[in-house]
Amino acid sequence: MADRVMQLASERAVVVFTLSSCCMCHTMTQLLANQLSVNALVIELDRDARGKDMERALLRMLGGRGPAVPTVFIGGELVGGTKKIMSLHLAGELKPRLLDAGALWL
């Protein structure tokens, strides 16, 4: 299932795995879309037939720590969850990564 996750993660510059009822997932997608103008591919695992399996794969990819969602991939690379994305954003490091991945235009 990790192969499926990586395949989906490579479909766009930014891919976010979420759950439709998760407030942190909503916050993450809003940050990317509204504040940073990123057109991310959002995959709601609870609306996917293989969502539970992908959620378990994401948790393994994250080292078994923390919640599996939201999980953000930038440029096909696993970046992490809410804490990691917010840390990058507050440090001014998120925008350059998004630019490098082709998710933002100047």
Side-chain angles (χ1 to χ4, degrees):
M1 196 50 58
D3 291 341
R4 173 76 177 138
V5 169
M6 292 309 294
Q7 176 193 4
L8 290 168
S10 68
E11 288 185 5
R12 285 246 190 96
V14 178
V15 178
V16 185
F17 289 88
T18 70
L19 292 173
S20 62
S21 61
C22 171
C23 63
M24 292 311 294
C25 296
H26 178 72
T27 300
M28 185 61 52
T29 56
Q30 291 303 302
L31 167 71
L32 292 167
N34 294 341
Q35 288 188 17
L36 298 170
S37 299
V38 171
N39 185 16
L41 172 60
V42 177
I43 299 167
E44 293 182 332
L45 297 176
D46 53 337
R47 298 180 192 258
D48 189 292
R50 296 184 281 178
K52 283 289 182 194
D53 294 331
M54 286 193 282
E55 190 172 353
R56 283 190 287 275
L58 285 166
L59 192 55
R60 280 192 303 276
M61 294 168 84
L62 292 166
R65 294 181 306 274
V69 294
T71 299
V72 179
F73 287 78
I74 299 175
E77 177 185 332
L78 173 63
V79 177
T82 305
K83 186 175 179 180
K84 179 66 175 182
I85 296 299
M86 291 307 293
S87 294
L88 290 170
H89 182 54
L90 293 173
E93 298 171 15
L94 182 58
K95 229 176 205 181
R97 280 185 96 157
L98 294 168
L99 280 166
D100 288 345
L104 295 177
W105 295 272
L106 292 177

